[in-house]
Amino acid sequence: MITIGELAKRAQCTVPTIRYYESIGLLPMAQRREGGHRAYGRPDLARLTLIRRCRDFDMPLDKIKDLLELEASGKPCQETFDFFAAQREAIKARIKALEELDFTLSLYVSSCQSGCMQNDTPCHIYDDMAAS
């Protein structure tokens, strides 16, 4: 059994994150030692590592709960495949949205470079963004 601090270190997260995940049901409530301190085992580390990897994939917490339910129901392959395929589509949509944001920002930067930076006048990005 390990402490919450050691669990956080091994899973590369923070102690408050572990407490939060417990409070919302992503992690089961920890066992308690005689002095009342939390105690964790290998299954807790494995589950927390899975959760952290899901967060690396930019998965929202409600989706992680869904995935953990799939795991608890026996890890059905087709449902798991569908789950991750849907996550990939969500990421692709975000990438497209980010590319559009990048394009818009590039227009603002170009406008600065050819406008206010050339004549040493106040920057007009603020007004342009406020009008958009």
Side-chain angles (χ1 to χ4, degrees):
M1 299 301 272
I2 59 175
T3 65
I4 193 169
E6 183 62 25
L7 179 66
K9 182 178 174 183
R10 290 185 189 182
Q12 299 178 343
C13 67
T14 65
V15 168
T17 297
I18 294 170
R19 288 185 181 130
Y20 177 68
Y21 288 167
E22 284 181 0
S23 74
I24 63 171
L26 284 179
L27 283 174
M29 295 305 286
Q31 296 178 14
R32 297 289 180 150
R33 293 188 175 160
E34 201 170 293
H37 296 284
R38 290 175 167 90
Y40 299 90
R42 287 191 189 279
D44 299 308
L45 177 58
R47 186 174 179 112
L48 183 56
T49 301
L50 175 63
I51 293 166
R52 293 290 302 133
R53 289 291 292 142
C54 288
R55 294 298 291 147
D56 290 345
F57 293 137
D58 202 33
M59 215 175 277
L61 295 176
D62 62 327
K63 292 294 182 188
I64 295 172
K65 280 184 181 182
D66 294 343
L67 182 67
L68 293 172
E69 288 173 12
L70 277 176
E71 181 190 32
S73 71
K75 305 176 188 174
C77 192
Q78 183 62 52
E79 291 178 50
T80 302
F81 171 85
D82 293 344
F83 180 89
F84 280 101
Q87 183 61 25
R88 284 191 69 212
E89 290 305 314
I91 289 171
K92 287 177 185 178
R94 284 203 47 202
I95 289 170
K96 184 177 182 207
L98 287 170
E99 287 171 343
E100 291 170 2
L101 285 173
D102 181 53
F103 177 73
T104 301
L105 287 173
S106 73
L107 294 176
Y108 285 132
V109 168
S110 293
S111 176
C112 266
Q113 289 172 326
S114 64
C116 56
M117 287 177 75
Q118 295 293 320
N119 0 355
D120 199 29
T121 58
C123 188
H124 56 82
I125 284 181
Y126 303 98
D127 295 332
D128 293 348
M129 288 181 68
S132 297

